[in-house]
Amino acid sequence: MRERLEELRREALAIVAEAGEEARLREVEVRFLGRNGEITGLLRQLGSLPADQRPAAGREANLVKAALQEALDQRRDQLQQASLARELRGEGFDPTLPGPPPPAGALHPLSQVQRRLEDLFSSMGFLVADGPEVEWESYNFDALNIPPDHPAREAQDTIFVRAPQATAEASAAAESDGKADGVVLRSHTSTVQIRALKKHGPPLRVVAPGRVFRQEAQDATHEHTFHQMEGLVVDRGVGVAHMLHAMNSLLEGLFGRKLETRLRPGFFPFVEPGFELDARCPFCDSGCRVCKGSTWIELMPGGLVHPNVLEACDVDPEVYSGYAFGLGLSRVVMLSYGIDDIRWLLSGDLRFLRQFPS
Ligand code: PHE
């Protein structure tokens, strides 16, 4: 056994001394010291030796093991040093090799859906319009025929940046520099109806995607900041059928196929008549969690632009009519990707965002 050990030791050390790369060292490690290695095997045979020879043989075998392990570690170290030195001298470094690919970002799922819809409506001749997120109270409410005592105007619902001027003097002073109006974070994209119509006048076709803000107790379906996309068309002879066609096209663009839809009456001060559009649940045939078992999902409100809104924008309601709809972008993004909590959308959490490559 002694001789065999000595043989193995010499053989192993010789290979280690000559090894030119780390892979070779790993081979040696496995071959001699591994679980089925040659030295390990020899150690296992200790039990078959006469009892008085066992301690000495055991000691020797362990010494050989330790010596080999040390030789391996040393050689590995040398090889690493040498390769580092080569690299530092510029050898073995190929500057023409392509670098590691930079990590690619992707558009936020909200942006992806928004762009898809912008493309769709652009192709139908709509302008993509924009408006400020910090908005006059009068644009957010009055011009949209929302009365002064409407509950949506309460500070519990709308985020006020500046209260309207309350006292007569303050109001008079403010009026002289045009600032009697309150200032809010817009609570819906319907403000862009007013801005676009005042700016361009009829005939007009616009969509206006953007962020809106509400004072909300936050939970899985309520966020203080979310996204909507407003649609507005004003022209001669515009009616409900036109609106329905635009809404159906929107849904087809969104879900990739035609969905059965229905209109229910709905009330919004800035439209008359007003509707809620429901679509057949795109996710089931017979009722599921998303449609709460009803096979219909409420998708988007809309209606014919109220004459008072047209008048507020200096458009003659005797000549022109129009329709408007308000798509909840955040909601349809959640629907189309199966996102179960709205708070993920603006969380900035990379674990969430990485699931949406462009
Ligand atoms: N602005 C409304 C809201 O935020 C939605 C809407 C838009 C309703 C256009 C009708 C027409 O709830």
Side-chain angles (χ1 to χ4, degrees), residues 71-140:
L72 277 167
D73 291 346
Q74 261 178 23
R75 186 71 191 139
R76 187 171 286 135
D77 222 42
Q78 282 172 2
L79 289 176
Q80 281 171 355
Q81 292 294 339
S83 112
L84 184 64
R86 265 200 312 279
E87 215 169 290
L88 290 174
R89 280 197 308 274
E91 294 167 29
F93 175 74
D94 181 351
T96 66
L97 278 178
L107 288 176
H108 193 284
L110 272 165
S111 307
Q112 292 187 35
V113 172
Q114 179 180 324
R115 289 190 185 194
R116 221 162 59 224
L117 294 176
E118 285 177 5
D119 283 350
L120 175 73
F121 278 96
S122 303
S123 77
M124 300 196 294
F126 283 63
L127 209 68
V128 178
D130 205 356
E133 293 172 345
V134 180
E135 183 59 281
W136 297 116
E137 185 185 0
S138 61
Y139 279 26
N140 199 81

Side-chain angles (χ1 to χ4, degrees), residues 11-289:
E11 191 188 349
L13 290 180
I15 303 176
V16 169
E18 278 170 18
E21 42 186 82
E22 288 185 56
R24 186 86 181 105
L25 296 180
R26 269 197 301 281
E27 275 171 34
V28 174
E29 205 162 17
V30 172
R31 175 174 157 202
F32 293 93
L33 301 177
R35 200 133 58 87
N36 299 314
E38 298 189 35
I39 297 182
T40 321
L42 219 52
L43 267 166
R44 248 185 240 127
Q45 291 167 24
L46 276 180
S48 61
L49 286 180
D52 60 337
Q53 294 182 20
R54 267 181 234 155
R59 212 174 311 125
E60 202 142 323
N62 279 324
L63 282 175
V64 171
K65 256 179 84 170
L68 180 53
Q69 190 64 59
E70 192 181 326
L72 277 167
D73 291 346
Q74 261 178 23
R75 186 71 191 139
R76 187 171 286 135
D77 222 42
Q78 282 172 2
L79 289 176
Q80 281 171 355
Q81 292 294 339
S83 112
L84 184 64
R86 265 200 312 279
E87 215 169 290
L88 290 174
R89 280 197 308 274
E91 294 167 29
F93 175 74
D94 181 351
T96 66
L97 278 178
L107 288 176
H108 193 284
L110 272 165
S111 307
Q112 292 187 35
V113 172
Q114 179 180 324
R115 289 190 185 194
R116 221 162 59 224
L117 294 176
E118 285 177 5
D119 283 350
L120 175 73
F121 278 96
S122 303
S123 77
M124 300 196 294
F126 283 63
L127 209 68
V128 178
D130 205 356
E133 293 172 345
V134 180
E135 183 59 281
W136 297 116
E137 185 185 0
S138 61
Y139 279 26
N140 199 81
F141 296 119
D142 303 76
L144 287 161
N145 197 38
I146 300 175
D149 57 353
H150 194 280
R153 299 176 83 129
E154 300 280 326
Q156 291 102 296
D157 290 315
T158 296
I159 299 169
F160 277 81
V161 175
R162 198 185 71 195
Q165 304 299 320
T167 67
E169 288 126 53
S171 171
E175 217 146 291
S176 64
D177 60 7
K179 288 180 187 152
D181 209 348
V183 178
V184 300
L185 296 187
R186 68 176 177 189
S187 63
H188 51 182
T189 45
S190 299
T191 53
V192 187
Q193 289 187 34
I194 305 304
R195 288 189 172 267
L197 205 49
K198 272 182 185 280
K199 182 168 171 194
H200 302 288
L204 181 65
R205 275 179 260 180
V206 286
V207 285
R211 287 202 299 182
V212 301
F213 310 86
R214 287 183 199 175
Q215 200 81 260
E216 295 278 10
Q218 296 182 50
D219 60 26
T221 52
H222 296 89
E223 218 348 349
H224 52 70
T225 303
F226 57 101
H227 288 68
Q228 293 186 330
M229 191 179 79
E230 196 80 6
L232 173 73
V233 169
V234 178
D235 204 339
R236 290 168 201 264
V238 173
V240 175
H242 300 97
M243 177 190 80
L244 200 53
H245 175 74
M247 285 173 153
N248 283 333
S249 308
L250 191 164
L251 294 186
E252 197 178 338
L254 209 50
F255 294 103
R257 62 194 156 98
K258 282 197 162 62
L259 295 178
E260 188 191 347
T261 51
R262 71 180 184 193
L263 284 179
R264 283 180 296 116
F267 176 75
F268 301 89
F270 36 94
V271 287
E272 178 58 38
F275 302 99
E276 290 281 358
L277 180 90
D278 296 341
R280 271 290 182 209
C281 180
F283 307 108
C284 72
D285 295 320
S286 53
C288 66
R289 210 166 48 92

